[in-house]
DNA sequence: TTAGCACATTAGAATCCGCGAATATTCGTG
DNA sequence: CACGAATATTCGCGGATTCTAATGTGCTAA
């Protein structure tokens, strides 16, 4: 189906897929909402403010790429973070953005 | 052009853009190549194994999203990491992948 | 078994991305 | 100025994403 040429290059691809999981505002919102623990699809859809179907699609992507795990309980399915380093990585990025915004504010507010 | 509704949602969009920068194997390769310091486009293209034009395109994206800075020296342009937390974030993700691969290996090698 | 909730999947249209090829820009040198 | 080297930009195509609406699936309870 698909030969793996360079194992290092393959690792980069996996890493890129992982980052694709974090490369959408809705998915970041979902990840963030799961920071304190597992939640159902409906809870997440409501928290994030998207339709159930849309939330389910994004959650499926996050699960495919390995960022989330699922657990079934009755008719509900609970999603949870698979590795807490994902949250750390998100927070690092958030820190970069925050700092950049502060700098831009600075330039705008103190142009003298 | 585009009104900003929710500032929190806007932050998520910026964060998503930042992650989009890391969401491509070539760009991860580029970021990684810049870990030890600034490099020119040609150096990077050669290291990563893509054409000059392609490298330039990816570098432009990384610059647009704020992951890289540029400095001109003569006819060459040096690219460098704008914030070292980007590398930390990449390494965290790389760690997640590594662990997942180890687990999968384990399952494959010890199915008893 | 039927009804109903929770969730997943599909289809299709609009949009976005990534690449190579060709062209443009910018700088240093003669 | 003309030229070459380094880098950037544009164009166009094929493929991937994302959204909504509709439909499918799986569980529980009566």
């Amino acid at each position: 189906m698909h030969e793996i040429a360079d194992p290092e290059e393959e690792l980069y691809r996996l890493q890129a897929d992982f980052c694709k999981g974090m490369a959408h505002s809705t998915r970041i919102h979902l990840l963030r909402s799961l920071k304190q623990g597992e939640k159902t699809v409906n809870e997440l859809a409501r928290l994030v403010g998207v339709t159930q179907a849309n939330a389910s699609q994004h959650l499926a992507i996050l699960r495919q790429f390995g960022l989330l795990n699922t657990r079934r309980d009755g008719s509900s399915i609970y999603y949870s973070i698979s590795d807490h380093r994902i949250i750390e990585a998100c927070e690092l990025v958030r820190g970069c953005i925050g700092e950049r915004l502060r700098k831009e504010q600075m330039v705008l507010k103190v142009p003298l």
Side-chain angles (χ1 to χ4, degrees), chain A:
Chain A
M1 204 158 285
H2 194 320
E3 277 300 319
I4 299 175
D6 183 5
E8 184 71 8
E9 189 57 31
E10 177 64 13
L11 181 52
Y12 285 149
R13 243 200 305 278
L14 287 171
Q15 193 174 340
D17 281 347
F18 217 83
C19 291
K20 270 178 205 155
M22 307 189 289
H24 190 285
S25 59
T26 300
R27 291 198 288 269
I28 292 178
H29 207 145
L30 287 169
L31 288 171
R32 212 136 200 281
S33 301
L34 287 168
K35 201 174 161 183
Q36 352 270 349
E38 60 178 12
K39 287 190 172 50
T40 68
V41 178
N42 271 330
E43 286 174 326
L44 289 167
R46 187 180 49 73
L47 278 171
V48 172
V50 298
T51 66
Q52 174 269 315
N54 198 200
S56 185
Q57 287 170 338
H58 283 298
L59 290 167
I61 289 171
L62 288 167
R63 183 166 150 329
Q64 267 181 237
F65 289 158
L67 289 88
L68 294 185
N69 291 325
T70 54
R71 174 179 77 81
R72 166 148 242 156
D73 181 26
S75 65
S76 291
I77 292 181
Y78 287 84
Y79 279 85
S80 58
I81 304 283
S82 71
D83 188 323
H84 234 271
R85 281 173 288 189
I86 295 162
I87 299 295
E88 288 181 56
C90 280
E91 293 305 318
L92 276 175
V93 171
R94 201 176 166 85
C96 294
I97 306 290
E99 191 170 312
R100 201 178 63 191
L101 287 179
R102 268 196 305 281
K103 281 181 186 168
E104 285 171 10
Q105 292 287 101
M106 202 94 85
V107 173
L108 291 178
K109 287 185 177 171
V110 192
L112 310 178

